Amino acid sequence: MKKRVAFHVLGCKVNQYEVEAFKELFREKNYKIVDFEDEADVYLIHTCTVTHLGDRKSRQFIRKAVRKNPQAIVAVTGCYAQVSPQEVEQIEGVDIVIGTKDRKRIVELIEGYDKGKPLKLVSEIKDNRSFEELPVVQPSRARAFLKIQEGCDRFCTYCIVPYARGPVKSRGFSNTIDEVNKLIEAGYKEIVLTGVHIGTYGKDLGYQETLFTLIEKLVEVPNLKRLRISSLDPDDISPELLELITENPIICSHYHIPLQSGDDHILQRMGRRYTTLEYQQLIDSIRAKRPNAAITTDVITGFPGETDEHFGNTANFIKNIAFADLHVFKYSPRRGTPAAGYTGQVPEKIKADRSNYLMAMTQELWQEYASRFLGTTGQVLIEIASDGLWEGHTDNYLKVRFPLTAGDLSGTLVPVHLEKLSREKFIMGELEGGDRNG
């Protein structure tokens, strides 16, 4: 009988990528992947520590796994395990604690584990300077996620990530190109480049290769239909990179560029390396080349010292930029970061009120952006079929659904007439006739 393994992942898209890679490692060893709600022989909780809520949820799911099957092996990995291994070890029932290194050995460690003898494998993060290659995540027949970079050395004053992920580490240049060629040969139409801070790709390689030179090579890969870049900090976008990602048609017309605050005083306190004017000029430059591009961002509310005036500046800046979507986070003090000791800590209720205000704005911004495309035809890359509908994304990351057809459209690019907005942030459409760009 196959051993059963269940996973729960918290936090960012990089964490989600890594868990999908872990699943592949277990499949290679003939494990059966089961739902976290089911009884399993192994539970793996991939944790987050970006906020105190991430810490708390991590602990909750660890305890839930222990209750589900006290005889199971409970392994805890990820950023919370890296930053606070002692806290994790003290949770009753935890067997294995692994930080943000040596994840590739997870199956080996579990299979060699002697129940009752807790194992901690958390190394000093600043000594972690090698990129750890994990299986490439292939969530559908259409898109594959390729992690090209790990770590961050910016040390923004609010951020725990450099302490959890360590210094910049880049996937090998030729290895990355070879991997993309393999994925395209296997039939994937879109590659998503992901990482912790991908704008710094190549820094540890001596800058002989950079994100610019990597993308320049990748867009030449035969039969690659789309290359999507998960996120770029504004100060990482050089003039030559800007030209490449706005003029080459293979690059998706979707740019996720973290803002964090729309007030210059708060940006400075955060340790961000740009001003609102520089951010505005960057967005203007993108839209000059691609007026229909989706610009999405991250924003933090309630940073220490943020007054009503500072928040008002942020809200107005967001409206003026007219983002297609926002990810809104309440500031959370992280032990060991400079901002945790700043004066002017904002009360939780004010943080929540400001966060709720921006989240309500998010819905309005998405509707304003998406409505521009109603009545037009979008090329949709079909990813899944669910509840009688095909679902996929346009190159500017509009989620589109339309009724199932007789044939299998999975992994194909098809023209869809965009007809109606949904409050769940997708567009209903109808498949148009004509050839498919499969």
Side-chain angles (χ1 to χ4, degrees):
M1 181 178 176
K2 286 185 178 181
K3 289 186 177 180
R4 302 157 298 172
V5 57
F7 299 83
H8 187 80
V9 57
L10 299 106
C12 66
K13 289 185 177 180
V14 174
N15 263 17
Q16 294 168 30
Y17 170 98
E18 289 168 346
V19 158
E20 293 303 318
F22 297 160
K23 289 179 181 179
E24 189 59 30
L25 292 173
F26 278 93
R27 289 190 189 100
E28 290 172 359
K29 294 296 184 178
N30 206 34
Y31 279 73
K32 180 182 179 181
I33 311 296
V34 299
D35 191 89
F36 194 79
E37 298 299 321
D38 297 336
E39 186 171 296
D41 303 295
V42 177
Y43 291 92
L44 192 151
I45 299 91
H46 198 39
T47 61
C48 173
T49 193
V50 168
T51 67
H52 65 82
L53 182 60
D55 289 355
R56 189 171 77 226
K57 285 186 175 180
S58 296
R59 292 190 294 268
Q60 288 173 348
F61 279 97
I62 293 167
R63 294 185 178 109
K64 184 174 182 178
V66 174
R67 290 195 302 270
K68 184 66 68 173
N69 181 5
Q71 303 308 311
I73 294 175
V74 176
V76 182
T77 62
C79 292
Y80 180 44
Q82 177 67 48
V83 173
S84 305
Q86 292 81 10
E87 289 183 18
V88 175
E89 282 182 291
Q90 289 171 6
I91 300 173
E92 186 176 353
V94 170
D95 297 301
I96 300 175
V97 182
I98 303 177
T100 53
K101 186 182 177 183
D102 296 313
R103 281 88 48 89
K104 198 168 185 177
R105 298 177 55 202
I106 184 66
V107 181
E108 166 200 337
L109 293 169
I110 284 171
E111 293 194 332
Y113 178 69
D114 184 4
K115 184 73 174 174
K117 297 180 180 179
L119 171 65
K120 182 177 78 171
L121 196 63
V122 180
S123 58
E124 179 61 47
I125 196 63
K126 68 177 185 293
D127 297 330
N128 182 5
R129 296 187 176 274
S130 299
F131 183 85
E132 184 178 38
E133 290 193 16
L134 294 168
V136 177
V137 176
Q138 303 168 6
S140 71
R141 287 167 51 189
R143 308 168 74 207
F145 288 76
L146 182 61
K147 184 178 172 184
I148 63 167
Q149 182 274 341
E150 171 70 282
C152 180
D153 55 11
R154 287 295 175 86
F155 290 93
C156 297
T157 62
Y158 55 85
C159 188
I160 196 69
V161 169
Y163 307 91
R165 294 279 180 170
V168 171
K169 300 166 283 289
S170 305
R171 191 184 193 109
F173 190 83
S174 59
N175 172 286
T176 303
I177 296 167
D178 290 345
E179 195 66 58
V180 170
N181 272 288
K182 290 176 187 175
L183 290 166
I184 300 307
E185 289 171 5
Y188 292 90
K189 303 297 190 298
E190 179 178 308
I191 305 298
V192 184
L193 300 182
T194 188
V196 173
H197 187 180
I198 67 172
T200 59
Y201 175 87
K203 178 179 178 181
D204 56 317
L205 305 178
Y207 282 121
Q208 295 177 2
E209 287 93 16
T210 65
L211 184 63
F212 171 80
T213 59
L214 178 65
I215 293 175
E216 194 177 38
K217 287 293 185 183
L218 292 180
V219 294
E220 296 174 354
V221 172
N223 299 316
L224 172 62
K225 301 296 184 182
R226 292 179 179 175
L227 185 66
R228 193 177 299 276
I229 304 166
S230 60
S231 178
L232 283 172
D233 270 19
D235 50 308
D236 290 329
I237 304 177
S238 65
E240 63 176 0
L241 181 59
L242 176 65
E243 182 177 358
L244 176 60
I245 65 177
T246 55
E247 293 193 353
N248 192 293
I250 290 175
I251 306 293
C252 289
S253 190
H254 169 221
Y255 307 92
H256 187 81
I257 306 174
L259 172 65
Q260 308 305 5
S261 175
D263 181 89
D264 286 329
H265 173 69
I266 298 300
L267 283 175
Q268 186 178 36
R269 282 173 64 86
M270 287 178 165
R272 303 295 284 175
R273 303 184 184 189
Y274 51 86
T275 65
T276 53
L277 176 59
E278 290 167 336
Y279 192 100
Q280 177 75 65
Q281 290 171 338
L282 172 63
I283 302 307
D284 290 346
S285 296
I286 293 173
R287 286 178 171 156
K289 297 287 185 68
R290 290 188 165 182
N292 289 327
I295 312 292
T296 59
T297 199
D298 301 327
V299 182
I300 297 172
T301 65
F303 186 80
E306 183 186 68
T307 64
D308 288 343
E309 181 181 359
H310 296 143
F311 177 71
N313 289 339
T314 293
N316 289 333
F317 189 78
I318 288 169
K319 289 177 184 176
N320 291 336
I321 291 287
F323 290 103
D325 205 354
L326 307 175
H327 296 161
V328 182
F329 304 89
K330 292 184 292 183
Y331 170 73
S332 179
R334 299 285 77 200
R335 185 174 64 245
T337 61
Y342 284 0
T343 58
Q345 297 288 329
V346 177
E348 284 299 321
K349 184 179 186 309
I350 294 177
K351 289 183 197 177
D353 289 345
R354 291 174 181 172
S355 178
N356 291 337
Y357 181 86
L358 291 186
M359 285 192 285
M361 187 190 297
T362 295
Q363 186 69 29
E364 297 171 9
L365 289 169
W366 180 85
Q367 288 183 323
E368 288 175 8
Y369 176 74
S371 64
R372 291 161 48 185
F373 301 92
L374 294 180
T376 68
T377 297
Q379 290 292 319
V380 178
L381 182 58
I382 306 303
E383 297 160 36
I384 60 171
S386 178
D387 297 327
L389 299 171
W390 288 114
E391 180 181 299
H393 286 85
T394 60
D395 85 315
N396 58 335
Y397 212 57
L398 291 172
K399 183 187 289 185
V400 177
R401 292 174 178 169
F402 62 93
L404 284 177
T405 55
D408 184 2
L409 299 183
S410 299
T412 63
L413 274 163
V414 297
V416 179
H417 191 258
L418 308 179
E419 298 180 347
K420 183 181 178 182
L421 300 185
S422 164
R423 287 195 62 82
E424 287 75 38
K425 289 189 178 179
F426 67 85
I427 299 179
M428 280 300 300
E430 288 288 340
L431 180 66
E432 290 195 347
D435 295 334
R436 298 170 188 163
N437 185 13

